Amino acid sequence: ENLRELPLMEAGGMAPSDVLQATTRVAAELMGVAEQRGTIEPGKDADLVILDGDPLDLAGYRERIAAAYLGGRLVAGGV
């Protein structure tokens, strides 16, 4: 249910790009796992969600998930 938090963060005054950074890169840094997670870079774990539509439109993310990858392997959907 954490996807519900994204539009709430925007409603609280954060820019959509800042919301995405807070829930990816910044969260990984705070949890001490930034060497392996939080950004898309060579050598890092490829945990990704592929969305239909504009990723900066934070509403309705769950309904727009096209695919999910865990460790670089497709685990749901398919693009």
Side-chain angles (χ1 to χ4, degrees):
E1 297 298 317
N2 63 336
L3 290 177
R4 293 186 309 168
E5 296 174 5
L6 278 60
L8 295 174
M9 293 167 75
E10 182 180 20
M14 291 179 75
S17 59
D18 292 335
V19 171
L20 295 179
Q21 287 185 55
T23 58
T24 56
R25 180 185 55 81
V26 174
E29 290 170 358
L30 292 171
M31 292 186 295
V33 297
E35 288 186 23
Q36 286 305 113
R37 290 176 162 63
T39 57
I40 302 170
E41 298 178 58
K44 288 193 173 186
D45 293 341
D47 299 340
L48 305 167
V49 174
I50 308 300
L51 298 173
D52 288 327
D54 183 356
L56 297 178
D57 177 5
L58 302 176
Y61 257 32
R62 180 174 307 283
E63 294 80 23
R64 297 188 293 131
I65 295 173
Y69 291 81
L70 183 61
R73 294 180 51 225
L74 181 66
V75 296
V79 174

